[in-house]
Amino acid sequence: FNFLGQGPESEPRQIHRGATADATPSAAEAHETSAAGTAKFTALYLGCMGLALLLCPRRSFSLLFDLASMSTAWIRVFGSLCALLAWYYYGAA
């Protein structure tokens, strides 16, 4: 197979998803879709956690950890890092 997806005995196919000659997706396309869905789910989860930690840091952080061990400023820093990672994951998807 060459780079354009043409085999020695097959007809030329389109590269982008959903435009192949047959209606069934190939294994590579199914894997790509699964990876993109996982990245979007991770972006959604990190984005929600980042916003929760930025908007109500004490309430959301105290659900899992001891609040006395950390100041609110560091919780917000962690929330902004979560939001930035969510943006990165969504862009990667």
Side-chain angles (χ1 to χ4, degrees):
F1 287 90
N2 63 15
F3 181 71
L4 295 177
Q6 299 171 352
E9 299 162 358
S10 66
E11 57 189 38
R13 297 187 317 163
Q14 297 286 333
I15 290 187
H16 56 280
R17 184 173 59 228
T20 57
D22 54 345
T24 58
S26 68
E29 290 170 343
H31 178 69
E32 180 181 309
T33 305
S34 174
T38 302
K40 286 181 182 180
F41 177 76
T42 304
L44 178 68
Y45 174 75
L46 281 173
C48 291
M49 287 306 299
L51 286 177
L53 289 171
L54 282 172
L55 297 177
C56 7
R58 290 193 170 271
R59 183 178 298 168
S60 58
F61 191 76
S62 66
L63 292 173
L64 298 175
F65 302 104
D66 182 24
L67 191 59
S69 65
M70 199 174 265
S71 70
T72 306
W74 287 112
I75 299 171
R76 289 182 190 230
V77 167
F78 182 66
S80 63
L81 287 176
C82 285
L84 285 172
L85 277 174
W87 180 45
Y88 172 76
Y89 271 93
Y90 188 75

